[in-house]
Amino acid sequence: MTQGTNLPRVGGYNQAVVLDAIRTAGPVSRVELAPLTGLTSQTVSNVVRRLLDAGLVTESGYAPSSGGKRRTLLSPRAEGAYAVGVQLDPGAAVIVVVDLAGEVLADRRVKLPDGAAPADLVARIAGAAQRLTARTRIDPARLLGIGVAAPGPIDGPAGDVVSPPNFAGWGRVPLREMFATATGMPVAMDNDATAAAIGERWIGGKDRAGSFLFIYLGTGVGAGIVLNNTVLHGDSGNAGEFGHIAVDADGITCDCGSTNCVGPYVSPAGVIGELFTLHGAAAAARIGLTGAADGVHRDWKVLRQAVRRGDPAACDVVRRAGRRFGQAARGAAALLDVSRIVLGGEAVRGIEPIICEEIDAAVNAMSVARVIRRISVEPSVIGEAVGAVGAASLILHGNYAPGWRMLTKP
Ligand SMILES: [Zn+2]
């Protein structure tokens, strides 16, 4: 892939804070930026000058006049920076090219062979990413790097994935280093749910400012946590292991050995299994499910279509999953004091209304929540590509948003 960028990093924390404020609140004037960032107007002025020189923000018009001098408005400059995002799942990878404004310029889904070695998967994805990037004709000097959203668990500081349950036979795989070698670009990696939460924060602007819990459903279930605009990683980079929150046990054993983890009850494979158990093979045949171990992706699509048609058996098992989501979300929301829960990921497409309804009922039934504030439960603003877009935003966020990287690696 094209060699990495020569753009100067927006060095320092203040620049990142100002750019993030422009992205989140923009279009916004210099005068408004001072109270938003807690910086003096002189500092804001200097920082904005540097952001303009670097081509990362643009003067986008004037605020309505209130008598005095008209204020120039600032917006992020979409073509100021780009990143590639990769969402890695068993069976497929989704690749996107995203600009600084969060617009997806190109996207592709690459099928991956079952049981392939990590090196083979990385080579296929790197090649596809290179072709996709070439197609967009963006300025290569402004392509900052490649973000990877990987299934957990990960060793965050090392950049490794460690025995992910959905990739049979994988031990400790140095995925970040492998992508860096294959692409020649800077690589940022995070677990898929946390990457999705960062993407949601990055794209969502005012609607995703503050604190929220992002519940992510792909092949498995996870969560990303944003508290007071800061992404929570935890000591090992695995904060938000939502799938292992305990709910009422009903006979399914998790990869971790427990019988009451929410994950296996609400994952696509679990819900499909529940349909066979509760409604029988006749209902499964009516819906068009195969029940094959290697047909989960297809079966899950068929089941969601049946939900949209109003099939009673399909709706029943999805609603049961929704109730378990709700049980787990209630505990998480009580612990975190978030006023918003966001639901996203490729696997929730089409069933968000039922799942959101059940989570809403569960989390807002708590008296403490009712008295203090109602928790809003909403689908992702990004949609099904949230993992890949989130991965791309790891690069843009890591470079430009006031996050943990800025503080730990000044
Ligand atoms: Zn578990």
Side-chain angles (χ1 to χ4, degrees):
M1 183 170 283
T2 327
Q3 201 53 39
T5 179
N6 292 310
L7 266 189
R9 278 174 66 99
V10 180
Y13 193 67
N14 287 350
Q15 285 90 327
V17 170
V18 171
L19 182 59
D20 192 49
I22 294 171
R23 281 189 40 89
T24 310
V28 64
S29 71
R30 288 171 179 78
V31 174
E32 292 165 283
L33 280 171
L36 279 173
T37 57
L39 299 169
T40 65
S41 47
Q42 185 56 47
T43 304
V44 166
S45 212
N46 291 340
V47 168
V48 165
R49 185 72 259 153
R50 284 200 284 276
L51 292 172
L52 284 166
D53 288 346
L56 296 169
V57 302
T58 181
E59 294 182 333
S60 59
Y62 296 95
S65 175
S66 53
K69 191 183 162 211
R70 294 174 81 195
R71 294 169 181 175
T72 310
L73 293 176
L74 300 158
S75 296
R77 185 168 164 266
E79 61 275 36
Y82 305 93
V84 173
V86 173
Q87 152 85 48
L88 179 63
D89 258 326
V94 176
I95 308 172
V96 294
V97 181
V98 175
D99 68 21
L100 187 57
E103 196 72 32
V104 176
L105 304 179
D107 67 292
R108 219 200 126 186
R109 186 184 176 87
V110 184
K111 287 213 162 199
L112 301 173
D114 280 344
D120 178 29
L121 295 191
V122 169
R124 283 168 192 263
I125 294 167
Q130 190 167 22
R131 289 189 293 278
L132 191 69
T133 308
R135 226 175 65 198
T136 60
R137 298 170 193 276
I138 58 173
D139 176 1
R142 290 191 173 270
L143 182 57
L144 299 182
I146 179 164
V148 179
I154 63 168
D155 178 341
D160 300 348
V161 298
V162 186
S163 307
N166 295 321
F167 283 87
W170 284 29
R172 178 179 277 271
V173 177
L175 211 53
R176 189 171 65 203
E177 192 187 309
M178 290 168 75
F179 270 106
T181 306
T183 62
M185 296 185 70
V187 178
M189 190 182 88
D190 216 319
N191 81 57
D192 43 20
T194 299
I198 292 172
E200 192 80 11
R201 163 80 178 86
W202 181 254
I203 305 283
K206 292 187 192 77
D207 291 341
R208 295 293 179 265
S211 304
F212 63 91
L213 171 72
F214 189 100
I215 301 176
Y216 178 88
L217 185 64
T219 306
V221 62
I225 302 160
V226 176
L227 288 182
N228 304 320
N229 292 315
T230 301
V231 181
L232 203 68
H233 279 93
D235 283 352
S236 69
N238 290 291
E241 281 279 18
F242 187 85
H244 299 291
I245 293 181
V247 293
D248 295 337
D250 197 20
I252 304 183
T253 304
C254 180
D255 301 307
C256 74
S258 304
T259 54
N260 59 354
C261 289
V262 67
Y265 291 99
V266 300
S267 67
V271 178
I272 291 163
E274 187 129 88
L275 190 131
F276 277 88
T277 310
L278 295 175
H279 296 279
R286 181 187 70 227
I287 292 166
L289 302 177
T290 64
D294 61 353
V296 172
H297 186 79
R298 188 206 150 271
D299 272 359
W300 185 239
K301 208 167 159 180
V302 169
L303 194 142
R304 283 178 291 148
Q305 283 162 354
V307 169
R308 290 203 288 279
R309 284 197 308 275
D311 182 280
C315 291
D316 175 56
V317 290
V318 166
R319 195 163 286 282
R320 283 169 187 271
R323 284 192 203 112
R324 291 194 187 274
F325 266 119
Q327 258 190 306
R330 201 182 82 167
L335 189 68
L336 297 170
D337 187 24
V338 290
S339 54
R340 181 174 274 126
I341 294 175
V342 181
L343 180 71
E346 195 185 24
V348 290
R349 192 177 172 204
I351 57 170
E352 298 101 325
I354 295 181
I355 309 282
C356 283
E357 203 178 297
E358 291 297 332
I359 293 175
D360 190 318
V363 297
N364 287 307
M366 278 191 301
S367 58
V368 63
R370 266 207 313 272
V371 171
I372 298 165
R373 40 108 184 89
R374 190 176 170 81
I375 298 175
S376 168
V377 182
E378 305 162 20
S380 160
V381 294
I382 304 177
E384 64 177 325
V386 67
V389 174
S393 75
L394 293 178
I395 289 289
L396 299 167
H397 182 92
N399 276 276
Y400 295 130
W404 65 289
R405 279 174 225 278
M406 288 287 178
L407 292 171
T408 53
K409 293 179 191 164

